[in-house]
Amino acid sequence: DRILDAATVHPTVADAVADCHRVLATCPRPRHVVIPVHTARGAADELVRICRGDGHRVAILFGPERAGLEAEDLAHADTLVRYPLNPAHMSLNLAQAVMILAYEWWNAAEDQTPPRRLMTNETGVATKGELDNFMERLVRELDACGFLDNHPKRAGMVRNLRHWFNR
């Protein structure tokens, strides 16, 4: 809500970006200008660098879904952001374009979430000693019920159970 409450309306792009040091603009189509072009991930890294740097203000221009930004609007940008899209359909929904860049920016700036973790809820991860005690009890019970009666395969079955519970 605070972002929407602080939003302002400007008559021109030039007026909207007048207080910014850097301007990035999304652009699905190739343009005939010499200008740095980033992917969403590259733009996110650039945004983090700018925002953590010397306090420079940065703006991101998103264009209408039908045709994107006009050439006059793009003239205010010093970096273009292009998403890898299907060449037969070079349009992206405005909300999706914002979401993709926002997600990449969030990942570049704040995401400390490991790519994989073990969720244990209220339980803890067993120590190797606890696992050994469990396995001894399990093997005793499996022997008692006859599950491990196939003696040629018994060692492999116990080993597979240990590997399974180690995971």
Side-chain angles (χ1 to χ4, degrees):
D1 288 342
R2 67 182 173 82
I3 293 171
L4 293 177
D5 291 340
T8 57
V9 177
H10 298 269
T12 65
V13 171
D15 185 52
V17 300
D19 64 342
C20 295
H21 299 92
R22 295 284 308 277
V23 177
L24 285 73
T26 59
C27 179
R29 296 183 315 274
R31 299 293 179 141
H32 299 288
V33 294
V34 177
I35 189 170
V37 178
H38 291 294
T39 62
R41 182 162 298 154
D45 290 338
E46 186 77 3
L47 288 165
V48 169
R49 189 185 62 72
I50 294 166
C51 293
R52 287 190 179 157
D54 25 8
H56 287 168
R57 291 179 55 86
V58 64
I60 305 167
L61 300 177
F62 294 94
E65 293 174 24
R66 182 183 297 276
L69 291 163
E70 297 291 328
E72 294 77 28
D73 299 331
L74 288 174
H76 296 283
D78 47 54
T79 303
L80 297 183
V81 181
R82 290 193 65 201
Y83 301 109
L85 301 173
N86 179 341
H89 307 283
M90 292 299 287
S91 178
L92 189 63
N93 175 286
L94 176 60
Q96 292 170 334
V98 172
M99 187 240 4
I100 289 169
L101 189 55
Y103 175 77
E104 291 293 352
W105 191 359
W106 178 79
N107 271 333
E110 299 297 331
D111 186 19
Q112 301 299 315
T113 305
R116 179 180 174 194
R117 68 184 183 96
L118 177 64
M119 182 178 292
T120 60
N121 296 318
E122 289 93 32
T123 64
V125 177
T127 65
K128 294 300 180 184
E130 291 169 333
L131 181 62
D132 285 342
N133 288 337
F134 169 76
M135 286 302 300
E136 287 173 15
R137 169 78 188 264
L138 179 62
V139 169
R140 270 196 318 271
E141 296 297 326
L142 291 174
D143 278 334
C145 74
F147 185 81
L148 297 173
D149 281 348
N150 188 338
H151 293 289
K153 293 187 177 184
R154 184 179 188 285
M157 292 169 69
V158 171
R159 191 171 42 254
N160 287 342
L161 286 168
R162 180 172 294 281
H163 286 303
W164 190 62
F165 282 107
N166 264 322
R167 283 192 295 271

